[in-house]
């Protein structure tokens, strides 16, 4: 075969026709008649396929037989304006090399539309479908937009550990990390597991959040953000929970809760606008195939101010709504997704930021209000998602923090380094965590969080 530099399909529209090109990709479909075959080829660079037109007399039927759905080929040919409908240019094949075949009897991805549930079972192949190609390109662009946003703000990307001895959220649903023999672990004299013999010399787990270490960064660099995987061993089998998910956690010195809310709102609007600009074809595809209100919803979020109110005001609205919820609502209750979505979708019809939650339902590190009952936490609630961001102003006062940690029977021993920041140059500061997959869920209009991460980890499932 002649050696021609490969052109990605996404770039083909900007190549002047009547030139020789080389395209490579996976066959989506093949149709035609005795004389001519039309191959729809996709290389993942775009939702669009390139049509390859093959003169059967030139190649012979036998040669073309293995070029079926899923096969990978390389085509040299002439790029011409297309006579057919649905594409502006096509490639008239001159030479074809078959890189890999895909036996139609066993290749699971045939042309017909497959259910999302079925595709989850073959997650190793689903990136080859239009839907998952679109989702994973959007996911990439969002990750890029997030780094761009914080870089422009002058925040530093701060890498917090994945293996840690601390339980940042104090919630206790952690995956333990150990090299001890779990059948016969070494024991101390009083019969407990002797973690001094473990790899790190103490008990460790996968992180549930990079926040506590992020705060250390903010207390030195001013503004930082993390963007990494986090792990939660909670048995939540819902369309919005993963056991392994990616979180973005900015943490900023000298910010109060209002600065924090402003940042969260501006940040979300920026990354959504970015996706709409850079992933136009993919979002249009998803809008057409899955959710025809998607683009309207994205525009609405970009163009409207989020409503801000306190938890107490939110609970009053819910109590007065007369609506029958599955979980009862009263002051002090942890809000469920159904409550959050009622406020956002039915009452305000707008994203909402709730603040000042009862301290009992929030983490130990949140700044305590003077009322003795509430803390300066904030949750950003989105249509169809519920909570997309959770954050707070942090308790910067050593005595108040110590009192709360003690009330909650938390171990001050393992938190000594965190407590120390309140002794050495403490400062007001705030931050939040955005669940990356919840953001991707919102922007793609998908219904299930398992469909916006390439290889989801959920209870009883760590396949691939
Ligand atoms: O509300 P969370 O638990 O807050 C924290 O972890 C804080 N340390 C954040 C901070 O202030 N720096 O989690 C933050 C966000 C949630 O709002 C949600 O979007 C997402 O992380 N999240 C999950 N996403 C997928 N699967 C799960 N199991 C999630 N748990 C939380
Ligand atoms: Mg939360």
């Amino acid at each position: 075969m002649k050696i021609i530099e490969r052109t990605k399909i996404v770039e083909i529209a900007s190549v002047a026709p009547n030139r020789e090109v080389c395209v490579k990709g996976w066959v989506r479909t093949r149709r035609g008649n005795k004389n001519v075959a039309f191959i729809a080829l996709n290389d993942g660079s775009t939702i669009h396929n390139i049509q390859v037109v093959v003169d059967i007399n030139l190649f012979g039927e036998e040669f073309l037989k293995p070029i079926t759905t899923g096969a990978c080929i390389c085509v040299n040919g002439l790029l011409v304006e297309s006579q057919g409908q649905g594409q502006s240019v096509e490639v008239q094949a001159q030479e074809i090399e078959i890189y890999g075949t895909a036996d139609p009897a066993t290749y699971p991805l045939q042309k017909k539309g497959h259910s999302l549930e079925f595709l989850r079972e073959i997650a190793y192949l689903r990136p080859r479908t239009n839907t998952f190609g679109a989702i994973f390109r959007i996911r990439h662009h969002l990750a890029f937009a997030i780094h761009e946003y914080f870089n422009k703000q002058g925040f530093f990307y701060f890498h917090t550990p994945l293996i840690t001895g601390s339980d940042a959220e104090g919630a206790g649903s952690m995956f333990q990390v150990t090299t001890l023999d779990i059948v016969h672990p070494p024991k101390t004299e009083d019969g407990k597991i002797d973690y001094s013999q473990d790899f790190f010399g103490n008990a460790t787990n996968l992180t549930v959040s990079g926040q506590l270490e992020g705060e250390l960064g903010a207390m030195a660099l001013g503004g930082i953000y993390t963007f990494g995987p986090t792990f939660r061993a909670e048995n939540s089998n819902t369309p919005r929970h993963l056991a392994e998910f990616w979180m973005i956690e900015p943490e900023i010195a000298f910010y109060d809760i209002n600065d924090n809310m402003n940042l969260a709102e501006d940040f979300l609007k920026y990354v959504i606008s970015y996706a709409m600009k850079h992933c136009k074809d993919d979002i249009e595809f998803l809008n057409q195939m899955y959710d025809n209100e998607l683009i309207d919803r994205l525009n609405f979020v970009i163009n409207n101010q989020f409503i801000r109110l306190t938890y107490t005001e939110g609970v009053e609205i819910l109590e007065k709504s007369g609506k029958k919820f599955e979980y009862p609502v009263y002051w002090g209750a942890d809000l469920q997704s159904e409550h959050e979505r009622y406020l956002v979708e039915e009452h305000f019809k707008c994203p909402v930021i709730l603040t000042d939650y009862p301290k009992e339902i929030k983490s130990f590190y949140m700044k305590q209000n003077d009322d003795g009952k509430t803390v300066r936490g904030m949750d950003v609630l989105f249509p169809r998602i519920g909570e997309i961001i959770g954050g707070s102003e942090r308790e910067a006062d050593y005595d108040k923090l110590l009192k709360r940690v003690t009330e909650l029977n938390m171990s001050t021993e393992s938190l000594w380094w965190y407590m120390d920041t309140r002794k050495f140059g403490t400062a007001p500061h705030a931050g939040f965590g955005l669940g990356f997959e919840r953001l991707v869920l919102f922007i793609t209009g998908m219904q299930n969080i398992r469909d916006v991460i390439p290889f989801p980890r959920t209870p009883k499932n760590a396949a691939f």
Side-chain angles (χ1 to χ4, degrees), residues 312-340:
T312 303
E313 290 164 334
V315 167
E316 263 168 35
I317 292 171
L318 290 166
E319 283 174 333
K320 284 191 192 140
S321 71
K323 184 146 172 130
K324 275 261 167 293
F325 294 110
E326 194 186 332
Y327 291 86
V329 59
Y330 51 91
W331 199 94
D334 202 358
L335 297 186
Q336 303 294 323
S337 168
E338 54 171 343
H339 306 130
E340 297 171 341

Side-chain angles (χ1 to χ4, degrees), residues 363-377:
S363 297
F364 72 97
Y365 50 69
M366 294 194 182
K367 185 174 171 68
Q368 297 158 33
N369 284 322
D370 293 336
D371 63 11
K373 291 192 298 194
T374 59
V375 288
R376 225 161 274 181

Side-chain angles (χ1 to χ4, degrees), residues 169 209 211 232 234 242 249 387-390 394 432 435:
E169 289 305 295
S209 158
Q211 178 195 322
R232 297 197 183 176
E234 43 190 357
L242 290 166
E249 295 185 275
E387 177 188 340
I388 195 163
I389 278 180
R394 315 304 186 193
F432 60 80

Side-chain angles (χ1 to χ4, degrees), residues 427-445:
H429 62 291
F432 60 80
L434 167 70
F436 188 49
E437 285 73 21
R438 298 216 180 151
L439 176 70
V440 184
L441 203 53
F442 180 71
I443 295 182
T444 56

